[in-house]
Amino acid sequence: WIFVRSGYGKLFNVEAVANSFPLRGLPSFLAYIAVPFEFLGGIALIFGFATCYVVLGFVIFMLVATFSSHRYWEFADAAARRAQDSNFYKNMAMLGGFGFLFVCSAGRLSVDAWLRGRR
């Protein structure tokens, strides 16, 4: 749900998101890939559709987002550093969850399981 909620807000102003990418050391065009993927990939995970492929995409997404946006070691202000530190390690924990989801795949109530049953 975190990706759907975050991506939905960005969908309506992708240009503003793209303008913030160079400040993070990323090319602007990546926003036009990342924002729809964040939203649609989140929906795919909720429904368990193409789970392994979406998880691989999210691993790349999370690594880029984490190391470009949450570089806590660059902040001198204690409060800002603490906030970025929390976000950095939250993303690391989510990467661990993606590893679990990749290995275990979607459950029996997923679209993936339904499609497997139709074959």
Side-chain angles (χ1 to χ4, degrees):
W1 179 249
I2 193 170
F3 297 110
V4 174
R5 196 172 130 235
S6 176
Y8 182 78
K10 295 172 187 171
L11 276 176
F12 299 102
N13 203 355
V14 179
E15 189 175 331
V17 176
N19 289 337
S20 72
F21 272 39
L23 301 172
R24 299 175 185 158
L26 300 170
S28 297
F29 78 88
L30 285 179
Y32 295 94
I33 298 168
V35 169
F37 178 77
E38 183 176 15
F39 178 71
L40 297 172
I43 290 173
L45 285 181
I46 289 171
F47 288 104
F49 177 69
T51 305
C52 287
Y53 301 110
V54 173
V55 164
L56 289 175
F58 267 118
V59 166
I60 294 166
F61 176 89
M62 291 295 289
L63 287 171
V64 171
T66 301
F67 287 103
S68 67
S69 299
H70 301 300
R71 297 182 296 225
Y72 66 90
W73 54 88
E74 294 181 352
F75 288 83
D77 178 61
R81 183 182 181 101
R82 193 168 31 258
Q84 291 302 323
D85 178 74
S86 294
N87 284 317
F88 181 90
Y89 287 106
K90 175 224 8 142
N91 286 4
M92 289 292 119
M94 290 172 73
L95 281 167
F98 284 138
F100 178 81
L101 190 55
F102 182 80
V103 170
C104 295
S105 194
R108 66 179 183 202
L109 299 177
S110 67
V111 173
D112 287 347
W114 179 73
L115 291 172
R116 274 193 303 272
R118 290 183 48 147
R119 289 185 206 157

